[in-house]
Amino acid sequence: MIAIEALIKIVVLVVIILTIVAYLVLLERKISAYMQDRIGPNRVGPKGLFQPLADVLKLVLKEMIVPAKANKFIHALAPVISITVAVGALAVIPFANYIVIGGQKISLLIANVNIGVLYILALSSLGVYGITLSGWASNNKYSLLGGLRSSAQMISYELSLGLSLVGVLMIDGTLQLDKITMAQSGGLWNIIYQPIGFLVFVTAAFAETNRLPFDLPEAEPELVGGYHTEYSGMRWGLFFLSEYTNMIVSSALMVTLYFGGWSLPFVNYSALGANLAALVQFVTFFAKLGILIFVFMWVRWTLPRFRYDQLMNVGWKIMLPLAILNLLGTGAVMLALK
Amino acid sequence: MNLELIVFLILAAAAVVSAILVITRKNPVTSALYLVLNFFIIAVLYLFLRAQFIAVIQITVYAGAIMVLFLFVIMLLNLGDDRLMKWKFNSTRTIASLMGLALLAEILFYVINFTTGAGLSPQAESIGTVESIGKALYAGYLFPFEITSVLLLAAIVGAIFLSKKQISDGPMEKGNE
């Protein structure tokens, strides 16, 4: 019974997220177009709304070319690792509280594990494999350099990412994401208590998702396409998919940790009845998610790319000390208020 | 047989097979990947013992950090060359083989004297959580914990010192003049 329930939740969630990803690509193209005073895709369907379908069809039908001297198995494995890790992180994110069907409480969280935050950090540390291995298996200098660059970048920023979270964990005293949401639903959002931690987290999240201003792994002028130079067709599509899924995961994590998750201040959920409350919470969560994803895209089309040494300097000499100071400050204030 | 035992046996077999593949593969990158797979299986085995914290740390630290650095080095050295991987006898390898045999004897001794354990303690679930491990570390074992952190700090400083090029040539000497 539990297994069937979990399976249904997984299928529904994956379908929802992949649909969102397809439309995020369209949204990104539209936003970039408006920012550059263009119109953007507008040929397929009304206002270009069917563009994602055309894109997916194109990717599926395209030939997947594997370079002659590539390691074929790892070349195929790498994009699978990337997308698995990205989608897997969604399992512990609470999109809403619970619904009641036939008198039974069904939590809208796939896996309510005690180590929720650690689970996400563990998965994000595995994301490096997809990129490094794709770079190596392609047997191409540019791919290898892109893969190595991105691993160095992700390892460097993982530290500040993890440390910046600890402030939130100290305040709420739990690693479970639904309890963190609960703790914020009564009072103030964590962003009020943790503005510096949030800043470090956002910066690290941009670096972890390999997006501008930190998209050096695929810096076109120096590295051609970076780690996915030798990828085409749906294998390339999987990398693309995992980039956007990662963006959703990071934004969802920000919503949950810093912006109160599915909760809104001054709303009395018990007056709404469980199912209506769940719907309101679901919509709230996705509205917050949408705003943060828009910020991701806004930044991408506004800021130029960092140079590699600048990236490393920012990571190790600014973000890491800031995260540690934030930790010290949080601890000191909590001790003083005790 | 209950489901947990069946899954455990499959995973245990997979752990042994992946460990053997680590040392028999010719290509060092493949070896490293089998080691990562092995770490994963071990992490799941930790979960069977209700040690969730150890399991997730196993993945974050071993699979997510240490093995990535291993892969880095292997890829950059380009060890694909078969000549480097050929088996040659020398003193280091002889000592290593002897130590391996000693370990094997030890394992065999315990396998032969195997008796079924008392099973999982009923408190196992609460012992393995982050909360109880944190409490134990910071209350019961604070001193060893701090000593370990000093040791790690010393190792970090040492690594930075070794990777710096010739500090004595720098501005320090000029200051002494």
mmCIF file of all heavy atoms in Angstrom, chain A residues 51 69-70 80 86 88 90 120 136-137 158 179-180 184 197 206 217 239 272 278:
data_model
loop_
_atom_site.group_PDB
_atom_site.id
_atom_site.type_symbol
_atom_site.label_atom_id
_atom_site.label_comp_id
_atom_site.label_asym_id
_atom_site.label_seq_id
_atom_site.Cartn_x
_atom_site.Cartn_y
_atom_site.Cartn_z
ATOM 1 N N GLN A 51 6.034 25.427 -28.797
ATOM 2 C CA GLN A 51 7.461 25.308 -29.078
ATOM 3 C C GLN A 51 8.128 24.152 -28.310
ATOM 4 O O GLN A 51 8.903 23.395 -28.896
ATOM 5 C CB GLN A 51 8.155 26.630 -28.740
ATOM 6 C CG GLN A 51 9.628 26.673 -29.071
ATOM 7 C CD GLN A 51 9.884 26.688 -30.559
ATOM 8 O OE1 GLN A 51 9.125 27.293 -31.320
ATOM 9 N NE2 GLN A 51 10.933 26.007 -30.985
ATOM 10 N N LYS A 69 36.482 7.185 -30.670
ATOM 11 C CA LYS A 69 37.368 6.681 -29.624
ATOM 12 C C LYS A 69 36.802 6.922 -28.228
ATOM 13 O O LYS A 69 37.521 6.843 -27.240
ATOM 14 C CB LYS A 69 38.746 7.337 -29.752
ATOM 15 C CG LYS A 69 39.548 6.749 -30.886
ATOM 16 C CD LYS A 69 41.000 7.125 -30.764
ATOM 17 C CE LYS A 69 41.821 6.379 -31.796
ATOM 18 N NZ LYS A 69 43.200 6.888 -31.806
ATOM 19 N N ALA A 70 35.516 7.193 -28.139
ATOM 20 C CA ALA A 70 34.919 7.454 -26.826
ATOM 21 C C ALA A 70 34.720 6.153 -26.071
ATOM 22 O O ALA A 70 34.636 5.085 -26.669
ATOM 23 C CB ALA A 70 33.579 8.148 -26.995
ATOM 24 N N VAL A 80 22.698 9.966 -17.800
ATOM 25 C CA VAL A 80 21.731 9.283 -16.935
ATOM 26 C C VAL A 80 22.011 9.637 -15.469
ATOM 27 O O VAL A 80 21.093 9.902 -14.691
ATOM 28 C CB VAL A 80 21.789 7.760 -17.161
ATOM 29 C CG1 VAL A 80 20.843 7.043 -16.227
ATOM 30 C CG2 VAL A 80 21.444 7.447 -18.592
ATOM 31 N N ALA A 86 19.424 14.783 -10.344
ATOM 32 C CA ALA A 86 18.607 16.000 -10.309
ATOM 33 C C ALA A 86 17.172 15.677 -9.884
ATOM 34 O O ALA A 86 16.610 16.340 -9.005
ATOM 35 C CB ALA A 86 18.620 16.677 -11.677
ATOM 36 N N GLY A 88 16.089 12.947 -8.375
ATOM 37 C CA GLY A 88 16.052 12.293 -7.070
ATOM 38 C C GLY A 88 15.924 13.265 -5.922
ATOM 39 O O GLY A 88 15.275 12.975 -4.915
ATOM 40 N N LEU A 90 14.174 15.778 -5.676
ATOM 41 C CA LEU A 90 12.807 16.269 -5.480
ATOM 42 C C LEU A 90 12.035 15.452 -4.445
ATOM 43 O O LEU A 90 11.017 15.907 -3.926
ATOM 44 C CB LEU A 90 12.043 16.230 -6.804
ATOM 45 C CG LEU A 90 12.494 17.241 -7.856
ATOM 46 C CD1 LEU A 90 11.893 16.866 -9.184
ATOM 47 C CD2 LEU A 90 12.083 18.630 -7.463
ATOM 48 N N ILE A 120 19.778 15.878 0.274
ATOM 49 C CA ILE A 120 19.919 16.749 -0.893
ATOM 50 C C ILE A 120 21.386 17.111 -1.114
ATOM 51 O O ILE A 120 21.888 17.098 -2.246
ATOM 52 C CB ILE A 120 19.057 18.011 -0.722
ATOM 53 C CG1 ILE A 120 17.591 17.615 -0.831
ATOM 54 C CG2 ILE A 120 19.417 19.061 -1.756
ATOM 55 C CD1 ILE A 120 16.659 18.762 -0.989
ATOM 56 N N TRP A 136 35.220 13.161 -19.679
ATOM 57 C CA TRP A 136 36.299 12.200 -19.888
ATOM 58 C C TRP A 136 35.956 11.196 -20.975
ATOM 59 O O TRP A 136 36.772 10.887 -21.845
ATOM 60 C CB TRP A 136 36.604 11.472 -18.577
ATOM 61 C CG TRP A 136 37.672 10.450 -18.715
ATOM 62 C CD1 TRP A 136 39.014 10.685 -18.740
ATOM 63 C CD2 TRP A 136 37.495 9.047 -18.882
ATOM 64 N NE1 TRP A 136 39.686 9.513 -18.904
ATOM 65 C CE2 TRP A 136 38.789 8.490 -18.994
ATOM 66 C CE3 TRP A 136 36.384 8.207 -18.946
ATOM 67 C CZ2 TRP A 136 38.993 7.132 -19.161
ATOM 68 C CZ3 TRP A 136 36.583 6.855 -19.120
ATOM 69 C CH2 TRP A 136 37.880 6.325 -19.225
ATOM 70 N N ALA A 137 34.710 10.691 -20.936
ATOM 71 C CA ALA A 137 34.330 9.616 -21.847
ATOM 72 C C ALA A 137 34.275 10.080 -23.302
ATOM 73 O O ALA A 137 34.376 9.279 -24.215
ATOM 74 C CB ALA A 137 32.977 9.034 -21.435
ATOM 75 N N GLU A 158 30.319 23.703 -3.114
ATOM 76 C CA GLU A 158 29.549 22.833 -2.228
ATOM 77 C C GLU A 158 29.778 23.196 -0.768
ATOM 78 O O GLU A 158 28.853 23.137 0.050
ATOM 79 C CB GLU A 158 30.012 21.402 -2.436
ATOM 80 C CG GLU A 158 28.920 20.460 -2.849
ATOM 81 C CD GLU A 158 29.513 19.235 -3.482
ATOM 82 O OE1 GLU A 158 30.416 18.646 -2.882
ATOM 83 O OE2 GLU A 158 29.094 18.898 -4.595
ATOM 84 N N LYS A 179 9.382 19.929 8.579
ATOM 85 C CA LYS A 179 9.409 20.578 9.896
ATOM 86 C C LYS A 179 9.956 21.994 9.801
ATOM 87 O O LYS A 179 9.531 22.878 10.542
ATOM 88 C CB LYS A 179 10.254 19.746 10.867
ATOM 89 C CG LYS A 179 9.522 18.522 11.375
ATOM 90 C CD LYS A 179 10.213 17.920 12.564
ATOM 91 C CE LYS A 179 9.481 16.649 12.991
ATOM 92 N NZ LYS A 179 10.380 15.742 13.711
ATOM 93 N N ILE A 180 10.917 22.208 8.890
ATOM 94 C CA ILE A 180 11.439 23.565 8.695
ATOM 95 C C ILE A 180 10.318 24.467 8.189
ATOM 96 O O ILE A 180 10.159 25.603 8.642
ATOM 97 C CB ILE A 180 12.636 23.540 7.709
ATOM 98 C CG1 ILE A 180 13.813 22.825 8.362
ATOM 99 C CG2 ILE A 180 13.032 24.941 7.294
ATOM 100 C CD1 ILE A 180 15.000 22.633 7.462
ATOM 101 N N GLN A 184 8.394 27.764 10.175
ATOM 102 C CA GLN A 184 8.268 29.123 9.643
ATOM 103 C C GLN A 184 6.816 29.541 9.475
ATOM 104 O O GLN A 184 6.520 30.738 9.408
ATOM 105 C CB GLN A 184 8.955 29.220 8.283
ATOM 106 C CG GLN A 184 10.443 29.038 8.340
ATOM 107 C CD GLN A 184 11.027 28.999 6.952
ATOM 108 O OE1 GLN A 184 11.203 30.019 6.316
ATOM 109 N NE2 GLN A 184 11.313 27.820 6.465
ATOM 110 N N GLY A 197 23.318 34.358 5.070
ATOM 111 C CA GLY A 197 23.296 32.944 4.700
ATOM 112 C C GLY A 197 22.578 32.749 3.374
ATOM 113 O O GLY A 197 23.025 31.991 2.511
ATOM 114 N N PHE A 206 23.855 29.156 -7.811
ATOM 115 C CA PHE A 206 24.147 29.494 -9.206
ATOM 116 C C PHE A 206 25.351 28.715 -9.703
ATOM 117 O O PHE A 206 25.360 28.213 -10.828
ATOM 118 C CB PHE A 206 24.429 30.991 -9.339
ATOM 119 C CG PHE A 206 23.190 31.830 -9.455
ATOM 120 C CD1 PHE A 206 22.856 32.718 -8.454
ATOM 121 C CD2 PHE A 206 22.364 31.737 -10.546
ATOM 122 C CE1 PHE A 206 21.708 33.480 -8.542
ATOM 123 C CE2 PHE A 206 21.220 32.494 -10.653
ATOM 124 C CZ PHE A 206 20.890 33.369 -9.638
ATOM 125 N N PRO A 217 31.931 25.905 -17.189
ATOM 126 C CA PRO A 217 32.106 24.581 -17.800
ATOM 127 C C PRO A 217 31.697 24.546 -19.261
ATOM 128 O O PRO A 217 32.147 23.695 -20.008
ATOM 129 C CB PRO A 217 31.180 23.691 -16.973
ATOM 130 C CG PRO A 217 31.043 24.387 -15.690
ATOM 131 C CD PRO A 217 31.170 25.829 -15.962
ATOM 132 N N PHE A 239 21.132 16.229 -20.464
ATOM 133 C CA PHE A 239 21.931 17.234 -19.751
ATOM 134 C C PHE A 239 21.153 18.535 -19.597
ATOM 135 O O PHE A 239 21.156 19.179 -18.550
ATOM 136 C CB PHE A 239 23.238 17.522 -20.488
ATOM 137 C CG PHE A 239 24.304 16.515 -20.213
ATOM 138 C CD1 PHE A 239 24.890 15.825 -21.246
ATOM 139 C CD2 PHE A 239 24.713 16.259 -18.922
ATOM 140 C CE1 PHE A 239 25.868 14.895 -20.993
ATOM 141 C CE2 PHE A 239 25.689 15.337 -18.652
ATOM 142 C CZ PHE A 239 26.265 14.656 -19.690
ATOM 143 N N LEU A 272 -9.878 26.212 6.183
ATOM 144 C CA LEU A 272 -10.146 25.927 4.765
ATOM 145 C C LEU A 272 -10.557 24.477 4.518
ATOM 146 O O LEU A 272 -11.108 24.161 3.474
ATOM 147 C CB LEU A 272 -8.900 26.229 3.930
ATOM 148 C CG LEU A 272 -8.541 27.709 3.749
ATOM 149 C CD1 LEU A 272 -7.184 27.818 3.074
ATOM 150 C CD2 LEU A 272 -9.582 28.426 2.920
ATOM 151 N N ALA A 278 -4.527 22.272 1.045
ATOM 152 C CA ALA A 278 -3.416 21.695 0.290
ATOM 153 C C ALA A 278 -3.286 22.363 -1.074
ATOM 154 O O ALA A 278 -2.182 22.664 -1.533
ATOM 155 C CB ALA A 278 -3.614 20.194 0.131
#
